[in-house]
Amino acid sequence: MTRSNLRRIALAGAASAAALTAAGAANASAFYLQEQSVVAAGRAFSGEAADQGAQSLWWNPAAIAGNEKSTAYIGMSAILPKGKVRNVGSVIARPGQAPAPIGGNQVSVDPLNKGYLPSGAVSWKLNDQWAVGLALTAPYSFATNYEDNSWARYTADKTKLTTIDLQPTIAFAPSPMFGIGIGLNIEHSKASLSNSLPNLSPLLADGHQTLRGKGWDFGYSVGLQVHPSDVIDLGISYKSSVKHKLKGSITTAGLLGPLAGQNGRIDDVTASFRTPWQAMASARIHVSEALTLNGQVVRAGWKKFDAIRLGAPVNAALDQNYKNSWSVAGGVDYALTPQVTVRGGVQWDQTPTQDGSRDARVPDASRVNFALGSSYAITDSITLDAAANYVTFKNASIDRLGGFYVGSPAQTIVQPNGRLTGAKAIVLAVGGRMSF
C-alpha cells in the first residue's frame, strides 16, 4: 500500500470523529440549542410558533405580521450541564494483538462545558400589513473537554463549535386574522475538534489529530399564524435543513514507527453535513385576561444528518444513523398584576441518536425540561424577563464502533462500551423586550 493511500485511510478513520462539527447534550436534542427567547424558556418552549413579537422570530417568521408596534428583544442564557461518561468495558484491537481494555481515566466528569448563549431580534412595523425583522441567534454552539487520558479519547478530546444565525424576515398580514412570513437563514460556523490516535504498540504514547474549519451556509424559514378570535392563536412554521460545508485543515502529530509519515498538516480539507429541518405547530388559548395555556409540537428531520461527507484527500462518507425525533411541550402564562406575569411548563424532547451509533462526542439522550419564568413591565414599552430550566436526561449507552487506518495493515478497531449517567442541566436566562 502506498504512503498516499495509507495517509488517506488514516485521515478517514481519524476524521470520522473530528468531522462531527456539532454534538453534545444541551437543552434540546442532539446539537440544537433552543434558548432563543427568555419568555419561551420560562414556559418550556410551549407556544412560540403562535406567539407574536420579535422574540418569536426564530420559531415563526409570521410572528411580526400585524403587530401593533415595532418590537425588540435581547437575552442571555447560562447553560450549566453536569453528568458522567463512564467506561464499562471498552476495548481496542491493534493489528496482530488480542483486544485489550482501554486504559486511562475510566470516568469523565462533566465533559460538556458550561456556556453562555446570547440571542436577540428586532422588528419594524412598516404599516398595518407589512413588517420586516432580523433575528440573531446561535442555534448550534457548544464545547466539550475530555481529559487527555480519558477512556473516550479516541472518539473525542476537545471540541468547540460556534454558529451565528442571521435571519432577515419579511411578514405580511392580509387581514387581522392571518399573518404569513418568510426568512432567510444565514449561518456562519466555526469548529475546532480533536481526538487521540492510537499508535501500533500500547507501550507508545498516543498521537493526536485536530480538525479546524469554518464556512457560510444558507437555509430558509416560512410560517403562518391564524388568529380566529381573541381567545385562540395558532401558528405553524417550517425551518429548512441547512447544508453545511466547512473548509479548513487537519493537523496530525505524535504518530510513530510506520505511521510517522502521517504527521503534518493538510489544508483545504472539506467536511459537509446537513442539519435537520423542523416543522412546528403551536396553539395559545387565552382562558381569561390573566390566564393563557400554551402547547407546541415539533418534528425534527434528523434523518438529514445521515452522513458526514469528507472531501479530498479523504473522499469518504461516514454514516451517522440518526432518526427523526419529536418534541412536545405544554405551558401556562398567568398575569398576577398588569405589571407581573409568571409562567411555567414541561417539555419532553426525544433524542435522534440510537443505541449502537452513539459516541462520546455526542453523549445525547432523551430528556424532560421543567421550566419557570416571570416578566416585569417597567413601563408600557419596556419589560424584563427571567427564566430557569431544570433538564433531566435518561441514561444512555456510548457504543459506536470506531476504526483507524481501516483497510491498511495498521488497522486498529476501537469498540466503546460506556454509559452516560446522572446527566442534568440547569439553564438560567435573563432578557428584555421593548416596543416602539
Side-chain angles (χ1 to χ4, degrees):
M1 178 170 292
T2 67
R3 173 177 170 177
S4 62
N5 283 340
L6 180 56
R7 187 180 186 92
R8 179 183 66 81
I9 291 169
L11 289 171
S16 63
L20 283 168
T21 55
N27 192 23
S29 59
F31 52 83
Y32 168 57
L33 296 178
Q34 61 186 350
E35 288 80 7
Q36 314 304 341
S37 163
V38 179
V39 172
R43 58 188 177 216
F45 309 95
S46 57
E48 312 328 307
D51 202 1
Q52 292 193 299
Q55 74 277 3
S56 293
L57 263 180
W58 170 258
W59 289 275
N60 194 337
I64 60 175
N67 289 184
E68 293 183 0
K69 297 181 179 181
S70 300
T71 58
Y73 155 79
I74 190 170
M76 176 69 73
S77 299
I79 303 174
L80 312 173
K82 295 187 72 64
K84 297 179 179 179
V85 177
R86 300 175 178 272
N87 187 19
V88 293
S90 302
V91 297
I92 181 170
R94 291 179 167 89
Q97 303 175 37
I102 296 177
N105 186 2
Q106 300 297 292
V107 181
S108 293
V109 179
D110 301 337
L112 189 66
N113 290 358
K114 299 175 177 61
Y116 300 90
L117 188 70
S119 58
V122 63
S123 70
W124 292 271
K125 178 182 177 179
L126 303 180
N127 54 44
D128 289 341
Q129 292 184 307
W130 290 94
V132 295
L134 179 68
L136 175 63
T137 58
Y140 306 111
S141 298
F142 82 109
T144 58
N145 189 355
Y146 286 88
E147 306 89 348
D148 291 343
N149 69 336
S150 168
W151 71 272
R153 62 190 179 275
Y154 298 122
T155 299
D157 177 18
K158 294 174 176 58
T159 306
K160 185 175 182 180
L161 170 73
T162 303
T163 63
I164 298 174
D165 184 292
L166 294 172
Q167 182 182 300
T169 301
I170 185 168
F172 175 65
S175 73
M177 183 181 293
F178 295 99
I180 56 177
I182 185 170
L184 175 66
N185 292 101
I186 307 168
E187 290 191 358
H188 181 264
S189 299
K190 183 178 181 180
S192 174
L193 307 101
S194 64
N195 57 277
S196 295
L197 301 176
N199 271 300
L200 296 182
S201 169
L203 301 179
L204 298 175
D206 292 325
H208 195 262
Q209 187 166 73
T210 301
L211 181 149
R212 294 182 175 89
K214 58 184 178 180
W216 288 93
D217 303 286
F218 302 91
Y220 65 90
S221 301
V222 294
L224 168 71
Q225 287 192 343
V226 182
H227 311 285
S229 71
D230 292 337
V231 176
I232 299 176
D233 296 315
L234 304 173
I236 58 173
S237 65
Y238 177 82
K239 190 172 291 290
S240 77
S241 169
V242 175
K243 183 178 181 180
H244 287 271
K245 184 176 182 180
L246 303 189
K247 185 176 181 179
S249 64
I250 295 178
T251 302
T252 305
L255 292 178
L256 303 173
L259 300 176
Q262 317 317 314
N263 295 323
R265 171 173 167 149
I266 298 180
D267 294 315
D268 298 325
V269 176
T270 62
S272 63
F273 62 95
R274 299 193 71 102
T275 56
W277 51 261
Q278 295 182 64
M280 312 177 202
S282 298
R284 306 188 74 222
I285 301 175
H286 306 284
V287 178
S288 67
E289 290 186 2
L291 178 63
T292 299
L293 304 180
N294 307 278
Q296 182 159 287
V297 177
V298 179
R299 181 65 165 168
W302 281 103
K303 283 187 177 180
K304 283 289 186 180
F305 188 56
D306 61 341
I308 300 167
R309 294 171 174 84
L310 305 173
V314 182
N315 296 320
L318 307 163
D319 294 337
Q320 297 304 306
N321 198 29
Y322 273 43
K323 63 181 180 181
N324 293 346
S325 64
W326 291 97
S327 173
V328 180
V332 59
D333 297 90
Y334 188 81
L336 295 175
T337 71
Q339 288 77 36
V340 179
T341 299
V342 295
R343 55 184 59 91
V346 179
Q347 177 192 42
W348 171 75
D349 201 5
Q350 181 186 32
T351 179
T353 62
Q354 301 191 69
D355 292 347
S357 299
R358 188 180 299 109
D359 65 18
R361 198 183 293 278
V362 192
D364 193 50
S366 296
R367 69 211 68 197
V368 179
N369 175 17
F370 302 93
L372 291 173
S374 64
S375 296
Y376 178 72
I378 299 175
T379 68
D380 290 340
S381 60
I382 299 176
T383 301
L384 300 180
D385 304 308
N389 300 84
Y390 180 74
V391 188
T392 62
F393 298 81
K394 292 182 63 177
N395 292 346
S397 61
I398 306 295
D399 51 8
R400 181 185 178 93
L401 184 70
F404 297 87
Y405 331 120
V406 176
S408 78
Q411 176 172 301
T412 301
I413 301 299
V414 173
Q415 177 59 71
N417 182 9
R419 297 284 293 176
L420 171 69
T421 62
K424 55 185 178 289
I426 293 175
V427 183
L428 304 175
V430 294
R433 291 170 287 150
M434 180 176 68
S435 60
F436 54 95

